[in-house]
Amino acid sequence: MTGPDRPELEVVSEAGELVRPYVITRGRDLPDEGTFALITLVTTATDEQQRPQRLSPEEQQILDMCSSGYLSVAEIGAHAQLPLGVVKVLLSSLAEGGYLVTRAPVPSARLANKALLQEVLDGLKALSV
């Protein structure tokens, strides 16, 4: 019954919301902790003609997203609207198949020794006198 007191219930028709992550990942486990950080960059390794036709729709979607350049793992998860754990499993599978190229984040540079820098500055000042 609908009316001003009772709004009509919305019917969810998309089956995507009903698919469990276990089904999407085919029961595969998460890759090692350091394999895919949130800022790891990912792109496709092959062109579209060399792609296998037996990939899941989610894997095809990831390859389509990454075909135009590098995207981070976090960006892929946001665009695909999938949990990051699921995205990491799919990326791992695609990378093992040779369909993706990953670029690990650049480690932070070490801080310079302040005492050494001060000695270099003092030496340069002494030379300029």
Side-chain angles (χ1 to χ4, degrees), residues 19-76:
V19 177
R20 301 275 187 238
Y22 181 84
V23 174
I24 296 172
T25 62
R26 298 182 196 148
R28 293 173 289 205
D29 288 334
L30 282 168
D32 293 335
E33 186 66 32
T35 305
F36 291 102
L38 292 178
I39 57 174
T40 299
L41 297 177
V42 180
T43 191
T44 55
T46 58
D47 60 54
E48 291 186 28
Q49 284 111 13
Q50 295 178 346
R51 282 192 202 166
Q53 299 301 317
R54 305 201 104 176
L55 293 176
S56 69
E58 292 82 12
E59 290 170 324
Q60 286 286 359
Q61 180 186 18
I62 288 173
L63 288 177
D64 289 340
M65 279 190 282
C66 296
S67 64
S68 61
Y70 281 97
L71 286 175
S72 71
V73 172
E75 290 172 317
I76 293 168

Side-chain angles (χ1 to χ4, degrees), residues 63-117:
L63 288 177
D64 289 340
M65 279 190 282
C66 296
S67 64
S68 61
Y70 281 97
L71 286 175
S72 71
V73 172
E75 290 172 317
I76 293 168
H79 291 304
Q81 297 180 345
L82 292 170
L84 284 172
V86 171
V87 170
K88 288 180 180 184
V89 170
L90 296 175
L91 289 174
S92 175
S93 174
L94 290 169
E96 286 173 7
Y99 307 115
L100 291 178
V101 174
T102 61
R103 200 168 91 196
V106 177
S108 299
R110 289 186 5 206
L111 295 176
N113 184 344
K114 286 185 179 180
L116 177 63
L117 290 176

